[in-house]
Amino acid sequence: MARLPTQGRATIMRDSCFPEGSSMLDPVLLRAHLTETAARLKTRGFELPVAEIEALEADRKRLATETQELQAQRNARSKAIGQAKARGEDVAPIMAEVAGLGDKLKANEVALAEVQAKLSAIALGIPNLPDASTPVGKDETKNVEVARWGQPRTFDFAVKDHVELGARHGWLDGEAGAKLSGARFTVLRGQLARLHRALAQFMLDLHTGEHGYTECNVPLLVNADTMQGTGQLPKFEEDLFSTMKPYAFAAEHDTVVRQLASKEQIRGLIDACNGLPADAIFDPHGNDGVALDFALNKLGQIVESQRDRYLIPTAEVSLTNMVRDSIVEADALPIRVTAHTPCFRAEAGSYGKDVKGMIRQHQFEKVELVQIVEPSKSFEALEQLTSHAEKVLQKLELPYRKMALCTGDMGFSAAKTYDLEVWLPSQNTYREISSCSNCTDFQARRMQARWRNPATCKPELVHTLNGSGLAVGRCLIAVMENNQNADGSITVPAVLRPYMGGAIAIA
RNA sequence: GGAGGGAUGGCAGAGUGGUCGAAUGCACCGGACUUGAAAUCCGGCAGGGGCGCAAGCCCCUCGUGGGUUCAAAUCCCACUCCCUCCGCCA
């Protein structure tokens, strides 16, 4: 998959998104409470580069102050020139005063921008702080079971897994999926495909009809700003499928590089474009006389034009980012939205895990729940949102347990997460089917998503939550395995029968 | 894919190099008048960052990035998005 060059993200780094020296955590935490923040992050296995941040912060502060002073001087002088001209006076003396200012200011601005870029790069890679109620632990073995619902059924015959059950009538066809797309793709057919659809329909109807969510149909391809808003970029690009046009990029790129004058310039270019594939750049024969500045600028433009879209790994991305760069009125909260979408995941690093069947797919479907709430209500909302996901399993009569994830097992954006794990008879264990998280203000800060707090009349960051309600493919597996009969038929859960033309079982 | 037009504060909309972070109107908030409301009048009203006990001061932002200039909403280049027409298309 094509790797997105860092240059291509120029627009994401814009000031409106990342105010000076800001972090994706509250900037105060990195300035005034650095040691303490580092300790809290360490519980989730993240080493904060404390010394580096301190040094950069000191530089930033100094450069920012100096730059501002110079800017103030320049502005005052320029204004004076304007006024003098209006009065018809001679402006030469003032012009002389301002003479040396430009270069010094420029140098300061460049230095400041460099420091800020470094800080920003660090900040974007820092995960959210775990909430105090999140159990501390290194990995999933330290997750805490908080509830268990339903009794796993006992079978008086040898249970089959979903792959065996799906072999019937070509219901579940991994080979067809592999032929079309490769490993981790599946074709569903016939009654099983319909059951899959029934599950998604049922979930949507439940959440819109009984839980107060608004159904949405959202883009599956989104831009880089959006991916950054919810935390997928820049750190987890390898987990995403992208639609960048690498070949067009390389070809266009080559013609630019050929215009560069020297190897030194090209090396500088590689440094500047840190992250670009070097072999795409390094082609040092060509004409001279073209300024590096021009080439760099041109390069940035090319990269920008080749940057396309990313496939969403979850509808959380599209749903949550709907409030990006906006200020919502207090009476519009809470926002509760849901969508049924395909999800696309590269599954980098999961080689060998769950290779059989459709537990871990590059493409799967999910009904997602998202809430945008005022900060004081987000933990209450997490309990509620999780209960909405649980309701699906309860209505389907699938046994599950609810786990509070520990600090080391939580996702990047989450402050607190509950996983729901459904019972899978063939594996004689509980497997993840939903993950419900309170991201507090972490995503909101990345997105600049705010609400107007009536108490202060000021725009303040909202809190965002998301949860699967549920993963449709895994839910299908759970229904197949838990509801299987000795003859290989599958009993349709009562709540799904209206969606199955009244069928009691599929055979 | 081709041709043209556009992007300014919550909205509408002025502003073609200099006290413009930005007229005016609407909306909104506070006050006056009124028994109350409407109407009218007066005042306030973008976001982010820095300094300060505070009053306040300073910086940045007119789609985005770069350039020209002592000075850019205004001039130049590129990009993005929106609109209109033509072509193609589920």
Side-chain angles (χ1 to χ4, degrees):
Chain A
M1 189 167 21
R3 209 172 177 77
L4 188 70
T6 43
Q7 274 277 301
R9 281 192 218 110
T11 55
I12 322 170
M13 300 296 192
R14 69 183 187 268
D15 282 358
S16 67
C17 224
F18 302 114
E20 286 176 36
S22 84
S23 118
M24 295 316 116
L25 303 177
D26 188 332
V28 174
L29 294 173
L30 289 191
R31 292 181 188 164
H33 308 287
L34 193 55
T35 318
E36 183 190 328
T37 303
R40 287 177 71 187
L41 287 169
K42 198 175 170 119
T43 64
R44 51 146 78 222
F46 184 84
E47 287 292 341
L48 195 66
V50 174
E52 190 182 355
I53 292 174
E54 275 174 340
L56 286 168
E57 263 301 322
D59 283 352
R60 184 196 62 80
K61 204 158 188 173
R62 179 178 52 80
L63 287 166
T65 309
E66 283 175 18
T67 304
Q68 283 195 12
E69 273 166 18
L70 291 167
Q71 283 169 332
Q73 279 178 41
R74 180 204 58 192
N75 291 349
R77 292 281 82 78
S78 294
K79 210 168 235 182
I81 292 172
Q83 288 168 351
K85 271 197 170 173
R87 280 186 251 107
E89 296 168 8
D90 179 23
V91 295
I94 319 180
M95 295 283 269
E97 276 182 58
V98 86
L101 220 64
D103 292 341
K104 187 139 191 280
L105 179 58
K106 194 77 174 178
N108 259 287
E109 283 175 341
V110 169
L112 180 60
E114 276 172 19
V115 169
Q116 283 180 338
K118 282 180 191 163
L119 274 169
S120 192
I122 292 172
L124 283 167
I126 302 175
N128 199 358
L129 286 175
D131 182 64
S133 67
T134 294
V136 174
K138 185 161 68 60
D139 55 35
E140 70 275 5
T141 60
K142 295 293 187 297
N143 294 344
V144 174
E145 181 177 318
V146 293
R148 196 177 276 233
W149 187 93
Q151 187 67 39
R153 179 183 153 197
T154 51
F155 292 86
D156 52 13
F157 55 88
V159 296
K160 298 189 177 83
D161 69 15
H162 71 280
V163 177
E164 291 175 81
L165 292 163
R168 201 172 204 209
H169 311 307
W171 274 346
L172 194 160
D173 189 342
E175 281 180 32
K179 176 165 71 182
L180 297 173
S181 306
R184 297 199 192 283
F185 287 91
T186 299
V187 171
L188 295 180
R189 290 195 188 88
Q191 286 297 88
L192 194 69
R194 185 177 187 181
L195 187 60
H196 185 260
R197 173 162 56 90
L199 278 165
Q201 302 270 78
F202 160 68
M203 292 175 198
L204 275 179
D205 286 347
L206 176 67
H207 297 313
T208 57
E210 294 181 28
H211 298 154
Y213 291 75
T214 302
E215 180 172 351
C216 299
N217 190 286
V218 295
L220 309 178
L221 285 164
V222 301
N223 59 35
D225 284 358
T226 298
M227 281 299 183
Q228 184 170 285
T230 29
Q232 283 73 25
L233 287 181
K235 205 171 182 181
F236 304 101
E237 187 176 12
E238 62 175 16
D239 294 335
L240 302 173
F241 286 107
S242 92
T243 60
M244 187 173 169
K245 307 159 198 157
Y247 302 110
F249 167 73
E252 181 71 54
H253 204 265
D254 190 59
T255 65
V256 172
V257 170
R258 280 169 196 279
Q259 293 175 37
L260 290 173
S262 70
K263 276 194 180 189
E264 284 63 41
Q265 285 184 333
I266 290 162
R267 289 207 186 281
L269 190 62
I270 294 172
D271 286 346
C273 299
N274 171 38
L276 280 176
D279 56 355
I281 289 185
F282 202 81
D283 188 359
H285 52 289
N287 309 320
D288 48 13
V290 181
L292 183 61
D293 275 357
F294 169 82
L296 269 174
N297 193 15
K298 179 77 178 160
L299 252 181
Q301 287 163 10
I302 291 169
V303 173
E304 191 66 19
S305 70
Q306 292 307 320
R307 222 182 73 179
D308 208 359
R309 310 247 135 78
Y310 295 86
L311 282 159
I312 57 170
T314 158
E316 166 202 343
V317 172
S318 303
L319 290 172
T320 307
N321 272 282
M322 287 198 287
V323 294
R324 176 158 57 85
D325 293 324
S326 63
I327 302 170
V328 295
E329 294 305 325
D331 58 14
L333 299 177
I335 294 172
R336 294 195 187 98
V337 283
T338 183
H340 164 221
T341 70
C343 304
F344 303 91
R345 297 187 183 176
E347 292 295 344
S350 67
Y351 311 110
K353 271 191 217 160
D354 301 311
V355 283
K356 202 173 69 156
M358 59 181 290
I359 286 188
R360 192 175 297 273
Q361 300 276 285
H362 285 311
Q363 175 189 324
F364 63 96
E365 290 178 35
K366 189 152 63 68
V367 170
E368 183 75 0
L369 304 173
V370 162
Q371 293 201 24
I372 313 293
V373 304
E374 58 183 86
S376 64
K377 300 196 174 146
S378 67
F379 283 95
E380 183 188 322
L382 176 63
E383 299 301 322
Q384 185 202 54
L385 185 146
T386 308
S387 78
H388 295 156
E390 287 179 70
K391 198 75 178 176
V392 176
L393 290 167
Q394 291 168 8
K395 293 221 173 207
L396 290 168
E397 301 180 78
L398 294 169
Y400 69 90
R401 61 179 190 172
K402 176 178 169 184
M403 309 292 288
L405 294 196
C406 73
T407 50
D409 200 30
M410 273 197 310
F412 185 69
S413 300
K416 181 169 189 176
T417 297
Y418 291 116
D419 268 12
L420 300 182
E421 298 181 344
V422 70
W423 178 256
L424 284 190
S426 72
Q427 300 189 3
N428 201 38
T429 186
Y430 290 94
R431 292 297 305 261
E432 178 186 346
I433 195 167
S434 174
S435 192
C436 302
S437 299
N438 181 1
C439 299
T440 59
D441 62 7
F442 183 83
Q443 293 179 326
R445 188 171 288 107
R446 290 175 159 245
M447 294 191 295
Q448 281 299 299
R450 289 157 306 164
W451 70 303
R452 208 171 283 278
N453 183 349
T456 61
C457 290
K458 283 284 183 189
E460 296 172 10
L461 296 171
V462 296
H463 279 195
T464 64
L465 300 99
N466 64 77
S468 356
L470 310 164
V472 180
R474 287 191 181 180
C475 201
L476 179 73
I477 292 171
V479 168
M480 288 169 78
E481 295 197 1
N482 283 284
N483 289 20
Q484 63 181 293
N485 303 309
D487 62 358
S489 67
I490 292 156
T491 302
V492 176
V495 290
L496 295 185
R497 288 175 195 167
Y499 300 92
M500 296 291 290
I504 289 167
I506 60 172

